[in-house]
Protein backbone atom coordinates (compact mmCIF):
# COMPACT_ATOMS: atom_id res chain seq x y z
CA UNK A 1 0.00 0.00 0.00
CA UNK A 2 1.35 3.41 -0.84
CA UNK A 3 2.05 5.78 1.99
CA UNK A 4 -0.70 8.23 1.04
CA UNK A 5 -3.29 5.47 1.00
CA UNK A 6 -2.10 4.18 4.38
CA UNK A 7 -2.55 7.66 5.87
CA UNK A 8 -6.08 7.88 4.45
CA UNK A 9 -6.81 4.51 5.99
CA UNK A 10 -5.59 5.62 9.42
CA UNK A 11 -7.46 8.91 9.34
CA UNK A 12 -10.78 7.64 8.13
CA UNK A 13 -11.20 4.19 9.54
CA UNK A 14 -13.52 4.26 12.56
CA UNK A 15 -16.58 2.74 14.15
CA UNK A 16 -19.57 4.98 14.83
CA UNK A 17 -22.04 3.95 17.53
CA UNK A 18 -25.35 5.45 18.62
CA UNK A 19 -27.79 4.24 21.25
CA UNK A 20 -30.89 2.59 19.81
CA UNK A 21 -33.50 0.14 21.10
CA UNK A 22 -32.88 -3.31 22.52
CA UNK A 23 -30.91 -6.00 20.69
CA UNK A 24 -32.72 -8.97 19.20
CA UNK A 25 -31.96 -11.92 16.97
CA UNK A 26 -29.04 -14.30 16.88
CA UNK A 27 -25.33 -13.94 16.33
CA UNK A 28 -22.76 -16.56 15.32
CA UNK A 29 -19.84 -16.84 17.70
CA UNK A 30 -16.63 -17.69 15.85
CA UNK A 31 -13.69 -19.90 16.72
CA UNK A 32 -11.52 -18.83 19.64
CA UNK A 33 -8.67 -16.54 18.64
CA UNK A 34 -6.55 -17.64 21.58
CA UNK A 35 -6.96 -21.26 20.65
CA UNK A 36 -6.53 -20.93 16.88
CA UNK A 37 -3.23 -19.04 17.18
CA UNK A 38 -1.71 -21.92 19.18
CA UNK A 39 -3.27 -24.61 16.97
CA UNK A 40 -1.56 -22.91 14.02
CA UNK A 41 1.78 -22.99 15.84
CA UNK A 42 1.26 -26.67 16.70
CA UNK A 43 1.04 -27.50 12.98
CA UNK A 44 4.82 -26.95 12.91
CA UNK A 45 5.16 -30.21 14.83
CA UNK A 46 4.33 -32.43 11.85
CA UNK A 47 5.45 -32.48 8.23
CA UNK A 48 2.45 -32.47 5.87
CA UNK A 49 -0.97 -30.91 5.67
CA UNK A 50 -3.09 -30.11 8.73
CA UNK A 51 -6.51 -28.48 8.59
CA UNK A 52 -8.00 -26.22 11.26
CA UNK A 53 -11.69 -25.37 11.00
CA UNK A 54 -13.82 -22.70 12.65
CA UNK A 55 -11.04 -20.15 12.17
CA UNK A 56 -12.20 -16.53 12.55
CA UNK A 57 -11.29 -14.03 9.81
CA UNK A 58 -9.32 -11.71 12.09
CA UNK A 59 -6.02 -9.88 11.83
CA UNK A 60 -4.16 -11.87 14.50
CA UNK A 61 -4.77 -15.05 12.53
CA UNK A 62 -3.47 -13.32 9.40
CA UNK A 63 -0.28 -12.29 11.19
CA UNK A 64 0.24 -15.79 12.59
CA UNK A 65 -0.19 -17.08 9.02
CA UNK A 66 2.58 -14.69 7.97
CA UNK A 67 4.79 -15.95 10.82
CA UNK A 68 4.41 -19.50 9.50
CA UNK A 69 4.90 -18.41 5.88
CA UNK A 70 8.14 -16.67 6.83
CA UNK A 71 9.35 -20.13 7.90
CA UNK A 72 8.45 -21.66 4.52
CA UNK A 73 5.07 -23.09 5.55
CA UNK A 74 2.11 -22.77 3.17
CA UNK A 75 -1.06 -21.36 4.74
CA UNK A 76 -4.26 -21.02 2.75
CA UNK A 77 -7.81 -20.25 3.74
CA UNK A 78 -11.06 -21.56 2.30
CA UNK A 79 -14.16 -20.39 4.15
CA UNK A 80 -13.51 -20.92 7.84
CA UNK A 81 -10.83 -23.59 7.26
CA UNK A 82 -7.10 -23.05 7.26
CA UNK A 83 -4.92 -25.54 5.43
CA UNK A 84 -1.40 -25.52 6.77
CA UNK A 85 1.21 -27.43 4.82
CA UNK A 86 4.46 -27.83 6.66
CA UNK A 87 7.50 -28.91 4.57
CA UNK A 88 10.19 -31.29 5.85
CA UNK A 89 12.65 -28.45 6.33
CA UNK A 90 11.60 -25.04 7.62
CA UNK A 91 13.42 -21.86 8.61
CA UNK A 92 12.90 -21.83 12.37
CA UNK A 93 12.87 -18.06 12.74
CA UNK A 94 10.23 -15.47 13.61
CA UNK A 95 11.33 -11.92 12.74
CA UNK A 96 10.60 -8.81 14.82
CA UNK A 97 8.49 -7.27 12.02
CA UNK A 98 5.93 -10.00 12.79
CA UNK A 99 6.44 -10.77 16.50
CA UNK A 100 6.01 -7.09 17.39
CA UNK A 101 2.53 -7.27 15.85
CA UNK A 102 1.54 -10.45 17.63
CA UNK A 103 2.86 -11.40 21.03
CA UNK A 104 1.30 -14.84 20.71
CA UNK A 105 3.82 -15.58 17.95
CA UNK A 106 6.14 -16.72 20.77
CA UNK A 107 3.96 -19.86 20.72
CA UNK A 108 6.17 -21.14 17.89
CA UNK A 109 9.10 -21.60 20.32
CA UNK A 110 7.94 -24.93 21.74
CA UNK A 111 7.04 -26.56 18.40
CA UNK A 112 10.25 -25.31 16.73
CA UNK A 113 12.41 -26.70 19.53
CA UNK A 114 10.57 -30.01 19.37
CA UNK A 115 10.84 -30.24 15.59
CA UNK A 116 13.90 -28.36 14.33
CA UNK A 117 15.83 -28.43 17.61
CA UNK A 118 16.57 -24.74 17.43
CA UNK A 119 14.74 -21.44 17.02
CA UNK A 120 15.34 -17.73 16.75
CA UNK A 121 12.33 -15.70 17.80
CA UNK A 122 12.40 -11.92 18.15
CA UNK A 123 11.16 -10.76 21.56
CA UNK A 124 7.87 -8.92 21.09
CA UNK A 125 8.35 -6.35 23.89
CA UNK A 126 5.69 -4.89 26.20
CA UNK A 127 2.27 -3.56 25.24
CA UNK A 128 -0.64 -1.50 26.46
CA UNK A 129 -1.22 -3.88 29.38
CA UNK A 130 2.33 -3.30 30.64
CA UNK A 131 5.28 -5.70 30.42
CA UNK A 132 4.70 -9.09 28.77
CA UNK A 133 7.76 -11.15 29.81
CA UNK A 134 8.35 -14.74 28.67
CA UNK A 135 10.57 -15.77 31.59
CA UNK A 136 8.15 -18.54 32.61
CA UNK A 137 8.11 -19.95 29.07
CA UNK A 138 11.90 -20.04 29.18
CA UNK A 139 12.12 -21.60 32.67
CA UNK A 140 9.61 -24.30 31.73
CA UNK A 141 11.35 -25.14 28.46
CA UNK A 142 14.74 -25.17 30.22
CA UNK A 143 13.35 -27.73 32.65
CA UNK A 144 12.94 -30.20 29.75
CA UNK A 145 16.37 -29.57 28.25
CA UNK A 146 16.19 -26.39 26.12
CA UNK A 147 18.91 -23.76 26.33
CA UNK A 148 18.36 -20.05 25.77
CA UNK A 149 20.40 -17.01 24.99
CA UNK A 150 19.02 -13.55 24.42
CA UNK A 151 20.93 -11.19 22.17
CA UNK A 152 20.08 -8.46 19.69
CA UNK A 153 16.46 -8.55 20.83
CA UNK A 154 16.12 -12.20 19.81
CA UNK A 155 15.69 -15.37 21.81
CA UNK A 156 18.08 -18.01 20.48
CA UNK A 157 16.99 -21.42 21.67
CA UNK A 158 18.43 -24.87 21.15
CA UNK A 159 17.40 -28.34 22.24
CA UNK A 160 19.62 -31.32 21.37
CA UNK A 161 17.64 -33.69 23.53
CA UNK A 162 14.30 -32.91 25.06
CA UNK A 163 13.90 -34.91 28.23
CA UNK A 164 10.54 -35.39 29.95
CA UNK A 165 10.80 -33.83 33.43
CA UNK A 166 8.71 -32.28 36.18
CA UNK A 167 7.85 -28.65 35.37
CA UNK A 168 6.47 -26.40 38.10
CA UNK A 169 5.12 -23.12 36.77
CA UNK A 170 5.48 -20.12 39.07
CA UNK A 171 2.09 -18.88 37.86
CA UNK A 172 -0.50 -20.66 35.69
CA UNK A 173 0.58 -18.78 32.57
CA UNK A 174 -1.47 -19.69 29.50
CA UNK A 175 1.37 -19.13 27.04
CA UNK A 176 4.03 -20.94 29.14
CA UNK A 177 1.74 -23.96 29.64
CA UNK A 178 1.09 -24.15 25.89
CA UNK A 179 4.73 -23.75 24.88
CA UNK A 180 6.02 -26.44 27.22
CA UNK A 181 3.17 -28.78 26.29
CA UNK A 182 4.02 -28.42 22.58
CA UNK A 183 7.72 -29.12 23.21
CA UNK A 184 7.21 -31.94 25.73
CA UNK A 185 5.04 -33.84 23.28
CA UNK A 186 8.26 -34.85 21.44
CA UNK A 187 10.51 -35.25 24.52
CA UNK A 188 11.95 -38.58 25.67
CA UNK A 189 9.88 -39.65 28.65
CA UNK A 190 7.12 -38.07 30.68
CA UNK A 191 6.70 -34.39 31.52
CA UNK A 192 4.38 -33.43 34.36
CA UNK A 193 3.38 -29.75 34.28
CA UNK A 194 2.21 -28.55 37.68
CA UNK A 195 0.35 -25.31 38.35
CA UNK A 196 -0.62 -25.43 34.68
CA UNK A 197 -3.13 -22.95 33.28
CA UNK A 198 -6.62 -24.49 33.13
CA UNK A 199 -8.12 -22.36 30.36
CA UNK A 200 -10.36 -24.26 27.88
CA UNK A 201 -7.97 -23.19 25.10
CA UNK A 202 -5.30 -25.40 26.73
CA UNK A 203 -7.62 -28.39 26.54
CA UNK A 204 -8.40 -27.55 22.90
CA UNK A 205 -4.68 -27.50 22.06
CA UNK A 206 -4.13 -30.78 23.93
CA UNK A 207 -6.99 -32.31 21.90
CA UNK A 208 -5.26 -31.27 18.67
CA UNK A 209 -1.89 -32.60 19.84
CA UNK A 210 -3.58 -35.92 20.61
CA UNK A 211 -5.18 -35.94 17.13
CA UNK A 212 -1.61 -35.57 15.83
CA UNK A 213 -0.55 -38.68 17.74
CA UNK A 214 0.56 -36.99 20.97
CA UNK A 215 -0.21 -38.34 24.43
CA UNK A 216 -1.38 -35.48 26.60
CA UNK A 217 -3.70 -35.98 29.56
CA UNK A 218 -5.05 -33.76 32.30
CA UNK A 219 -5.32 -30.60 30.16
CA UNK A 220 -7.96 -28.36 31.70
CA UNK A 221 -6.70 -29.25 35.20
CA UNK A 222 -3.67 -27.82 36.95
CA UNK A 223 -1.61 -30.99 36.39
CA UNK A 224 -0.93 -31.95 32.78
CA UNK A 225 0.93 -35.13 31.87
CA UNK A 226 2.70 -35.36 28.53
CA UNK A 227 4.19 -38.68 27.41
CA UNK A 228 6.73 -37.90 24.68
CA UNK A 229 6.31 -39.66 21.33
CA UNK A 230 8.83 -40.13 18.49
CA UNK A 231 6.72 -38.67 15.76
CA UNK A 232 3.55 -36.67 15.15
CA UNK A 233 1.42 -36.63 12.02
CA UNK A 234 -0.72 -33.86 10.50
CA UNK A 235 -4.32 -33.76 11.68
CA UNK A 236 -7.68 -32.01 11.31
CA UNK A 237 -9.32 -30.13 14.14
CA UNK A 238 -12.25 -27.81 14.76
CA UNK A 239 -11.36 -24.95 17.08
CA UNK A 240 -13.48 -24.31 20.17
CA UNK A 241 -15.83 -21.35 20.24
CA UNK A 242 -14.56 -17.93 21.38
CA UNK A 243 -15.75 -17.39 24.95
CA UNK A 244 -14.53 -13.79 25.00
CA UNK A 245 -16.36 -12.90 21.80
CA UNK A 246 -19.49 -14.42 23.37
CA UNK A 247 -18.96 -12.40 26.56
CA UNK A 248 -18.60 -9.27 24.41
CA UNK A 249 -22.07 -9.74 22.92
CA UNK A 250 -23.46 -10.40 26.41
CA UNK A 251 -21.96 -7.09 27.56
CA UNK A 252 -23.54 -5.32 24.57
CA UNK A 253 -26.87 -6.92 25.51
CA UNK A 254 -26.45 -5.78 29.11
CA UNK A 255 -25.97 -2.17 28.02
CA UNK A 256 -28.59 -2.05 25.24
CA UNK A 257 -31.11 -4.53 26.70
CA UNK A 258 -32.97 -7.15 24.65
CA UNK A 259 -32.95 -10.88 24.03
CA UNK A 260 -30.46 -12.73 21.83
CA UNK A 261 -29.15 -16.18 20.93
CA UNK A 262 -25.38 -16.71 20.71
CA UNK A 263 -25.07 -19.49 18.15
CA UNK A 264 -22.16 -21.83 18.80
CA UNK A 265 -21.32 -20.32 22.21
CA UNK A 266 -20.12 -22.84 24.80
CA UNK A 267 -21.76 -21.90 28.13
CA UNK A 268 -19.71 -24.54 30.01
CA UNK A 269 -16.63 -22.36 29.36
CA UNK A 270 -18.35 -19.24 30.66
CA UNK A 271 -19.58 -20.07 34.15
CA UNK A 272 -17.88 -17.18 35.95
CA UNK A 273 -18.66 -14.42 33.41
CA UNK A 274 -22.27 -15.64 33.33
CA UNK A 275 -22.46 -15.61 37.14
CA UNK A 276 -21.13 -12.04 37.25
CA UNK A 277 -23.44 -10.93 34.45
CA UNK A 278 -26.31 -12.59 36.32
CA UNK A 279 -25.51 -10.49 39.40
CA UNK A 280 -25.71 -7.44 37.18
CA UNK A 281 -29.05 -8.42 35.66
CA UNK A 282 -28.20 -10.31 32.46
CA UNK A 283 -29.93 -13.70 32.38
CA UNK A 284 -28.29 -16.53 30.43
CA UNK A 285 -28.98 -20.20 29.85
CA UNK A 286 -27.87 -23.01 27.57
CA UNK A 287 -29.76 -23.27 24.32
CA UNK A 288 -29.85 -25.96 21.64
CA UNK A 289 -27.98 -23.51 19.36
CA UNK A 290 -25.54 -22.34 22.03
CA UNK A 291 -26.68 -19.76 24.56
CA UNK A 292 -29.80 -17.68 25.19
CA UNK A 293 -29.53 -14.32 26.97
CA UNK A 294 -31.89 -11.56 28.05
CA UNK A 295 -31.50 -8.23 29.80
CA UNK A 296 -34.10 -5.61 30.63
CA UNK A 297 -34.18 -2.72 33.08
CA UNK A 298 -31.14 -1.00 34.51
CA UNK A 299 -28.01 -3.01 35.24
CA UNK A 300 -26.95 -3.45 38.88
CA UNK A 301 -23.35 -2.88 39.99
CA UNK A 302 -21.14 -5.73 41.18
CA UNK A 303 -17.56 -6.15 42.32
CA UNK A 304 -15.23 -7.79 39.84
CA UNK A 305 -11.86 -9.42 40.35
CA UNK A 306 -9.93 -11.04 37.50
CA UNK A 307 -8.25 -14.41 38.00
CA UNK A 308 -6.91 -17.26 35.88
CA UNK A 309 -9.58 -19.70 34.64
CA UNK A 310 -12.04 -20.72 36.02
CA UNK A 311 -11.96 -17.23 37.58
CA UNK A 312 -13.19 -14.16 35.78
CA UNK A 313 -11.09 -13.62 32.60
CA UNK A 314 -9.03 -10.44 32.46
CA UNK A 315 -10.19 -10.16 28.83
CA UNK A 316 -13.77 -9.64 30.06
CA UNK A 317 -12.83 -6.85 32.41
CA UNK A 318 -12.98 -3.85 30.04
CA UNK A 319 -16.41 -5.05 28.93
CA UNK A 320 -17.63 -5.27 32.52
CA UNK A 321 -16.20 -1.82 33.26
CA UNK A 322 -18.23 -0.45 30.33
CA UNK A 323 -21.35 -2.09 31.79
CA UNK A 324 -20.63 -0.85 35.33
CA UNK A 325 -20.30 2.70 33.95
CA UNK A 326 -24.09 2.77 33.46
CA UNK A 327 -25.15 0.35 36.24
CA UNK A 328 -26.98 1.34 39.40
CA UNK A 329 -24.57 1.68 42.34
CA UNK A 330 -20.84 1.37 42.83
CA UNK A 331 -18.63 -1.46 41.56
CA UNK A 332 -15.02 -2.15 42.52
CA UNK A 333 -12.90 -3.82 39.88
CA UNK A 334 -9.55 -5.45 40.67
CA UNK A 335 -7.11 -6.52 37.96
CA UNK A 336 -4.88 -9.37 39.11
CA UNK A 337 -3.18 -10.42 35.87
CA UNK A 338 -1.84 -7.46 33.95
CA UNK A 339 -0.34 -4.35 35.52
CA UNK A 340 -1.45 -1.75 32.98
CA UNK A 341 -4.87 -2.85 31.88
CA UNK A 342 -6.88 0.30 32.73
CA UNK A 343 -5.82 2.57 29.85
CA UNK A 344 -9.25 2.64 28.23
CA UNK A 345 -10.75 4.05 31.44
CA UNK A 346 -9.72 7.59 30.44
CA UNK A 347 -11.72 7.14 27.24
CA UNK A 348 -14.80 6.03 29.20
CA UNK A 349 -14.36 9.07 31.45
CA UNK A 350 -14.41 11.23 28.29
CA UNK A 351 -17.83 9.71 27.68
CA UNK A 352 -19.02 10.83 31.11
CA UNK A 353 -18.26 7.68 33.13
CA UNK A 354 -17.40 8.18 36.80
CA UNK A 355 -14.33 5.98 37.30
CA UNK A 356 -11.39 6.38 39.65
CA UNK A 357 -8.40 4.08 39.30
CA UNK A 358 -5.69 3.36 41.81
CA UNK A 359 -3.06 0.77 40.95
CA UNK A 360 -4.84 -2.48 40.25
CA UNK A 361 -8.24 -1.17 41.30
CA UNK A 362 -10.99 0.89 39.73
CA UNK A 363 -14.04 2.28 41.49
CA UNK A 364 -16.96 2.83 39.14
CA UNK A 365 -20.05 4.82 40.12
CA UNK A 366 -22.70 4.12 37.55
CA UNK A 367 -24.20 7.15 35.79
CA UNK A 368 -27.66 7.31 34.18
CA UNK A 369 -26.32 7.85 30.71
CA UNK A 370 -23.00 8.27 28.94
CA UNK A 371 -22.50 10.87 26.27
CA UNK A 372 -21.17 9.99 22.84
CA UNK A 373 -17.61 11.24 22.24
CA UNK A 374 -14.61 10.61 20.02
CA UNK A 375 -12.54 7.90 21.71
CA UNK A 376 -9.57 5.75 20.74
CA UNK A 377 -9.20 1.98 20.97
CA UNK A 378 -5.90 1.00 22.62
CA UNK A 379 -6.18 -2.79 22.43
CA UNK A 380 -8.61 -5.48 21.30
CA UNK A 381 -10.84 -5.69 24.36
CA UNK A 382 -10.58 -1.99 25.21
CA UNK A 383 -11.77 -1.19 21.69
CA UNK A 384 -14.71 -3.58 21.98
CA UNK A 385 -15.59 -2.11 25.39
CA UNK A 386 -15.73 1.41 23.94
CA UNK A 387 -18.14 0.25 21.24
CA UNK A 388 -20.26 -1.43 23.93
CA UNK A 389 -20.23 1.78 26.01
CA UNK A 390 -21.33 3.72 22.92
CA UNK A 391 -24.56 1.71 22.94
CA UNK A 392 -25.46 3.66 26.09
CA UNK A 393 -24.23 7.04 24.85
CA UNK A 394 -26.32 10.08 24.03
CA UNK A 395 -25.23 11.16 20.55
CA UNK A 396 -22.52 9.53 18.50
CA UNK A 397 -19.46 7.73 19.82
CA UNK A 398 -16.65 7.54 17.30
CA UNK A 399 -14.11 4.83 18.06
CA UNK A 400 -10.89 5.43 16.16
CA UNK A 401 -8.09 2.90 15.64
CA UNK A 402 -10.59 0.08 15.11
CA UNK A 403 -7.76 -2.01 13.67
CA UNK A 404 -7.19 -3.10 17.28
CA UNK A 405 -10.70 -4.58 17.28
CA UNK A 406 -10.03 -6.29 13.93
CA UNK A 407 -7.21 -8.21 15.59
CA UNK A 408 -9.69 -10.26 17.60
CA UNK A 409 -13.22 -9.77 16.24
CA UNK A 410 -14.57 -10.74 12.85
CA UNK A 411 -16.88 -8.04 11.53
CA UNK A 412 -17.74 -6.74 15.00
CA UNK A 413 -19.75 -3.77 13.73
CA UNK A 414 -21.63 -5.92 11.20
CA UNK A 415 -22.58 -8.53 13.80
CA UNK A 416 -23.82 -5.88 16.24
CA UNK A 417 -25.85 -4.09 13.60
CA UNK A 418 -27.43 -7.40 12.55
CA UNK A 419 -28.73 -7.55 16.15
CA UNK A 420 -30.34 -4.14 15.68
CA UNK A 421 -27.61 -1.95 17.16
CA UNK A 422 -26.76 1.33 15.47
CA UNK A 423 -23.09 0.57 14.82
CA UNK A 424 -21.29 1.13 11.57
CA UNK A 425 -17.80 0.84 10.28
CA UNK A 426 -16.75 3.91 8.34
CA UNK A 427 -13.64 4.18 6.21
CA UNK A 428 -11.60 2.37 3.62
CA UNK A 429 -11.76 -1.02 5.23
CA UNK A 430 -15.54 -1.25 4.84
CA UNK A 431 -15.49 -0.05 1.27
CA UNK A 432 -12.66 -2.29 0.21
CA UNK A 433 -13.26 -5.33 2.34
CA UNK A 434 -12.84 -7.66 -0.65
CA UNK A 435 -9.53 -6.10 -1.54
CA UNK A 436 -8.40 -6.26 2.05
CA UNK A 437 -9.30 -9.93 2.39
CA UNK A 438 -7.44 -10.82 -0.81
CA UNK A 439 -4.41 -9.10 0.46
CA UNK A 440 -4.94 -10.64 3.84
CA UNK A 441 -4.14 -14.05 2.52
CA UNK A 442 -1.60 -13.19 -0.12
CA UNK A 443 1.66 -14.86 0.87
CA UNK A 444 3.98 -12.40 -0.80
CA UNK A 445 2.64 -9.01 0.25
CA UNK A 446 3.78 -7.54 3.54
CA UNK A 447 0.74 -6.58 5.53
CA UNK A 448 0.22 -2.97 6.47
CA UNK A 449 -0.95 -2.77 10.00
CA UNK A 450 -0.36 -0.16 12.65
CA UNK A 451 1.53 -1.61 15.57
CA UNK A 452 0.38 -1.46 19.19
N1 LIG B 1 3.77 -13.72 32.77
C1 LIG B 1 5.05 -13.56 33.20
N2 LIG B 1 6.02 -14.31 32.61
C2 LIG B 1 5.75 -15.18 31.61
C3 LIG B 1 4.41 -15.33 31.16
C4 LIG B 1 3.45 -14.57 31.77
O1 LIG B 1 5.34 -12.78 34.10
O2 LIG B 1 6.69 -15.84 31.12
C5 LIG B 1 2.71 -12.93 33.42
C6 LIG B 1 2.08 -11.95 32.43
O3 LIG B 1 2.82 -10.77 32.34
C7 LIG B 1 0.72 -11.75 33.02
C8 LIG B 1 0.39 -13.12 33.60
O4 LIG B 1 1.63 -13.79 33.77
O5 LIG B 1 0.81 -10.82 34.06
C9 LIG B 1 -0.55 -13.95 32.76
O6 LIG B 1 0.00 -14.16 31.48
P1 LIG B 1 -0.33 -15.42 30.56
O7 LIG B 1 0.97 -16.03 30.14
O8 LIG B 1 -1.30 -16.30 31.25
O9 LIG B 1 -1.04 -14.74 29.33
P2 LIG B 1 -0.69 -14.89 27.80
O10 LIG B 1 -0.51 -16.32 27.44
O11 LIG B 1 0.37 -13.93 27.44
C10 LIG B 1 -3.19 -15.18 27.09
C11 LIG B 1 -4.14 -14.53 26.13
C12 LIG B 1 -4.54 -13.15 26.63
C13 LIG B 1 -5.16 -13.30 28.00
C14 LIG B 1 -4.19 -14.02 28.94
C15 LIG B 1 -4.77 -14.30 30.32
C16 LIG B 1 -3.42 -15.42 24.02
C17 LIG B 1 -2.89 -15.15 22.67
N3 LIG B 1 -3.51 -14.38 24.83
O12 LIG B 1 -2.04 -14.34 27.14
O13 LIG B 1 -5.53 -12.68 25.71
O14 LIG B 1 -5.45 -12.02 28.51
O15 LIG B 1 -3.81 -15.29 28.37
O16 LIG B 1 -5.89 -15.06 30.22
O17 LIG B 1 -3.78 -16.55 24.32
C18 LIG B 1 -6.65 -11.09 24.34
O18 LIG B 1 -7.21 -12.05 23.79
O19 LIG B 1 -6.97 -9.89 24.13
C19 LIG B 1 -5.55 -11.37 25.27
C20 LIG B 1 -4.70 -10.46 25.67
Amino acid sequence: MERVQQEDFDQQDRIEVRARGPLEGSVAIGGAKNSVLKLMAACLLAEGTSVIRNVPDIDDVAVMADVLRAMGVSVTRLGDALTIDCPAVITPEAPYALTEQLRASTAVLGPLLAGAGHARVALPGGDDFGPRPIDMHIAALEAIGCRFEISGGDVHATADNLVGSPVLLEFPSVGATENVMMAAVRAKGTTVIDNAAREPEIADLAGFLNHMGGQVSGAGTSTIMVEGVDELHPAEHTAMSDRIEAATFLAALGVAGGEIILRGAQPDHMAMPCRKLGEMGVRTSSDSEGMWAMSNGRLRSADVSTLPYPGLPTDCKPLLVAMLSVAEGVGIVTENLFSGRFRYVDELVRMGADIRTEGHHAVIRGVDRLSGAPVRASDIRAGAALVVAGLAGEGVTVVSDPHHIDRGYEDFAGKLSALGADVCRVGHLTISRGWFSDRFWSPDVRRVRPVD
Side-chain angles (χ1 to χ4, degrees):
M1 190 190 280
E2 301 212 337
R3 182 160 189 78
V4 173
Q5 283 173 300
Q6 173 64 40
E7 280 166 8
D8 284 348
F9 177 98
D10 290 344
Q11 279 165 18
Q12 296 184 22
D13 198 21
R14 61 192 183 273
I15 293 177
E16 294 186 358
V17 193
R18 293 168 185 81
R20 198 192 257 168
L23 305 185
E24 59 175 18
S26 77
V27 60
I29 302 302
K33 166 180 84 77
N34 290 346
S35 185
V36 166
L37 297 174
K38 322 307 167 57
L39 296 170
M40 292 173 74
C43 291
L44 292 167
L45 283 161
E47 180 189 342
T49 306
S50 291
V51 178
I52 308 170
R53 299 185 205 287
N54 199 24
V55 176
D57 190 356
I58 55 175
D59 276 15
D60 274 7
V61 167
V63 178
M64 188 54 120
D66 284 348
V67 170
L68 298 183
R69 287 181 185 127
M71 296 178 189
V73 175
S74 153
V75 185
T76 50
R77 182 179 185 111
L78 190 62
D80 75 352
L82 278 191
T83 300
I84 299 180
D85 190 0
C86 196
V89 180
I90 57 167
T91 309
E93 295 182 1
Y96 183 58
L98 295 171
T99 62
E100 69 164 344
Q101 296 180 56
L102 180 65
R103 270 150 210 95
S105 51
T106 49
V108 298
L109 262 178
L112 289 179
L113 286 165
H118 61 110
R120 185 170 70 82
V121 175
L123 280 169
D127 68 7
D128 272 330
F129 309 171
R132 299 285 293 271
I134 59 162
D135 53 320
M136 291 181 211
H137 301 229
I138 290 178
L141 289 165
E142 277 177 345
I144 61 168
C146 306
R147 291 186 308 280
F148 289 88
E149 199 188 297
I150 296 178
S151 66
D154 294 340
V155 177
H156 300 262
T158 47
D160 301 330
N161 289 305
L162 290 173
V163 185
S165 315
V167 173
L168 175 61
L169 292 175
E170 198 176 320
F171 179 88
S173 152
V174 172
T177 303
E178 292 164 337
N179 246 329
V180 73
M181 216 164 76
M182 288 191 278
V185 80
R186 288 285 311 278
K188 284 244 161 319
T190 305
T191 298
V192 178
I193 310 167
D194 255 320
N195 200 22
R198 291 187 278 166
E199 270 69 1
E201 290 78 8
I202 307 271
D204 203 27
L205 176 61
F208 183 48
L209 294 174
N210 288 340
H211 289 159
M212 297 176 87
Q215 290 189 23
V216 183
S217 56
T221 76
S222 50
T223 304
I224 299 177
M225 181 126 58
V226 187
E227 310 264 3
V229 296
D230 289 339
E231 212 179 338
L232 293 166
H233 52 77
E236 300 202 2
H237 185 81
T238 300
M240 61 173 268
S241 148
D242 197 317
R243 61 199 168 98
I244 309 298
E245 187 192 20
T248 305
F249 285 100
L250 293 176
L253 178 76
V255 166
E259 181 174 356
I260 60 172
I261 300 284
L262 296 98
R263 295 196 312 277
Q266 286 177 263
D268 51 321
H269 294 159
M270 298 179 63
M272 192 56 84
C274 286
R275 183 196 288 188
K276 205 38 81 179
L277 288 161
E279 276 176 44
M280 296 177 70
V282 179
R283 288 163 56 199
T284 54
S285 70
S286 296
D287 175 269
S288 56
E289 289 187 82
M291 185 186 267
W292 166 91
M294 189 171 99
S295 172
N296 53 21
R298 189 163 179 202
L299 292 168
R300 297 182 292 276
S301 284
D303 293 339
V304 167
S305 184
T306 63
L307 280 175
Y309 190 87
L312 192 84
T314 172
D315 295 338
C316 287
K317 192 197 59 186
L319 303 159
L320 290 164
V321 171
M323 292 172 74
L324 290 167
S325 298
V326 290
E328 173 131 43
V330 180
I332 298 175
V333 173
T334 304
E335 169 61 54
N336 291 310
L337 272 85
F338 292 107
S339 56
R341 211 171 186 179
F342 276 121
R343 295 251 170 112
Y344 56 93
V345 159
D346 291 339
E347 304 299 292
L348 288 172
V349 168
R350 298 190 66 253
M351 295 175 69
D354 181 350
I355 308 176
R356 220 161 28 83
T357 55
E358 182 142 342
H360 288 237
H361 306 283
V363 179
I364 300 134
R365 283 169 212 283
V367 296
D368 290 341
R369 198 131 182 87
L370 296 172
S371 64
V375 289
R376 189 170 291 279
S378 57
D379 70 59
I380 305 174
R381 311 302 170 191
L386 293 172
V387 173
V388 165
L391 298 172
E394 212 149 89
V396 57
T397 297
V398 180
V399 182
S400 54
D401 286 352
H403 59 86
H404 287 289
I405 298 174
D406 299 333
R407 290 186 51 188
Y409 293 89
E410 179 176 326
D411 192 17
F412 187 45
K415 286 187 180 184
L416 277 171
S417 58
L419 292 171
D422 188 349
V423 178
C424 70
R425 182 71 177 252
V426 182
H428 284 191
L429 189 66
T430 314
I431 297 160
S432 55
R433 181 83 196 167
W435 166 85
F436 189 78
S437 289
D438 283 344
R439 198 158 179 284
F440 212 63
W441 298 107
S442 166
D444 51 4
V445 184
R446 192 163 138 40
R447 292 171 40 70
V448 177
R449 192 168 91 123
V451 170
D452 39 57

